[in-house]
Amino acid sequence: MPAADRGQATGPPTISEVAAEAGVGRATAARTLGGYGYVSPELRERVLAAAEKLGYRANALARSMSTGVSHTLGVIVADIGNPFFAGVMRGISDTSRARGFDTIVLSTYEDLSQEIAATNVLIDKRVDGVIIASAAVRRSEVAHIRAAMDRGIPVVLVDRAVASLDLDSVVIDNRDAARAAVEMLISAGHRRIGFIWGPPAAEAPATRRELLAEASRNLWTDGERLRGYLDALDDARIPFDPQLVMVGRKTEGRATQEVARMLALPDRITAVFCTETEAVTGALRALRAAGLSYPRDVALIGFDDSAWAAVMEPPLTMIEQPVHQLGAKAAEVLLDILDGAEPRREMHTLHSRLIVRSSVAAPALP
Ligand code: RIB
């Protein structure tokens, strides 16, 4: 039977077109053509007839006729060498293995072009589903994720949400965690609190509005942590000083430079809040270079607790993310979709913990 006229549509017919033709939901068409989950015989027949009519004959249909599944999940993270992502991956792997699935993990170093290439690798390897900590932030940057979904591959976001993607995401309470940490510094008497690191803006925004606008164009986690910092300042009626927020490339070296700059201000910082591991190590290098120590000269709290933070002398007060639980929940959500559950398209928020140790003290008297 010749393929039906598809109007202006170009390229191979998509799952969404097949679903529309069959008069079923996209998820039903995806399960039928992807060969996973439950579909009633009547709906299956309608979907297959529509797929035949539209000429949806590529791998997806062939795949659904055979076993249809590879029992493999694809995982895309920024850096599997980072303890945070390593912990998330352990949670994904443990949960997937317990339900009969293998995992393939790819690092992309927050580089969108590498993320696109990694997504295509996973599509080619016919993974059944994808979990991704995406570097995409703009609507124009998510075509690769939509391409996977159009091939019947469900996607779940982990660690960060992406505003233009209506997908299930598994994240933590970033904003509340940052606010609680900065509130602890304020309660200890600090008012000049550095924020390392903010959005990778080309130049330092002069106002809070510009800073937040820049943050909204970058990773969701960074923006949420910045908002938590600002919340705590607002609650304590501490005026926001743009000089105390690092912007620019997010590297340990830049963190060191920026903390050194803030320490050299006439009204220098007496505390610093760091939003990632390399922000913490960068700040510690700046303190050492300035001959200063924590918490005596500068109080410090960081994100992403780890074994080394606990054995530092003095031990660091840090925010602990439930990394294994993040990965396990993301895998559970995805595997439930593969088992036939409708995607709930909601944000699943897990709670972090502030691990209070010994890196916060009152400001040294002038
Ligand atoms: O590089 C790891 C950090 O960035 C973690 O804080 C994680 O939340 C990610 O966003």
Side-chain angles (χ1 to χ4, degrees), residues 53-250:
K53 181 178 177 184
L54 292 178
Y56 185 93
R57 302 201 59 73
N59 293 327
L61 189 56
R63 194 171 88 195
S64 69
M65 291 307 180
S66 64
T67 58
V69 290
S70 62
H71 290 292
T72 305
L73 302 184
V75 182
I76 297 176
V77 295
D79 178 4
I80 195 61
N82 180 305
F84 168 81
F85 290 111
V88 169
M89 189 59 216
R90 173 68 63 86
I92 293 171
S93 177
D94 291 350
T95 303
S96 306
R97 189 181 304 114
R99 289 176 60 171
F101 280 73
D102 296 319
T103 48
I104 300 173
V105 58
L106 297 166
S107 290
T108 60
Y109 308 101
E110 308 287 13
D111 178 306
L112 191 64
S113 59
Q114 291 193 47
E115 180 177 313
I116 294 168
T119 306
N120 291 332
V121 165
L122 296 179
I123 291 173
D124 292 346
K125 293 201 178 295
R126 300 181 188 288
V127 297
D128 297 312
V130 172
I131 295 170
I132 182 169
S134 177
V137 290
R138 294 170 181 79
R139 185 174 298 280
S140 61
E141 296 177 339
V142 298
H144 58 297
I145 294 174
R146 294 197 186 285
M149 293 159 60
D150 277 346
R151 284 166 176 74
I153 300 173
V155 177
V156 170
L157 305 175
V158 69
D159 178 54
R160 66 261 327 241
V162 179
S164 55
L165 285 174
D166 183 22
L167 294 175
D168 282 288
S169 58
V170 181
V171 302
I172 66 147
D173 53 352
N174 288 285
R175 184 166 183 170
D176 289 346
R179 181 170 58 235
V182 177
E183 283 173 351
M184 179 178 179
L185 293 169
I186 293 169
S187 300
H190 298 279
R191 297 176 64 78
R192 299 287 286 166
I193 303 169
F195 182 84
I196 309 290
W197 40 46
E203 53 189 62
T207 67
R208 176 195 183 110
R209 175 188 296 272
E210 287 172 7
L211 180 64
L212 285 171
E214 188 64 46
S216 65
R217 291 191 286 268
N218 286 285
L219 289 185
W220 178 79
T221 42
D222 292 345
E224 285 296 286
R225 295 171 192 178
L226 174 62
R227 290 181 185 87
Y229 166 78
L230 296 174
D231 290 343
L233 297 183
D234 293 348
D235 293 347
R237 291 183 172 70
I238 295 173
F240 164 66
D241 179 352
Q243 297 182 100
L244 303 192
V245 173
M246 167 187 163
V247 296
R249 273 181 322 106
K250 304 188 297 183

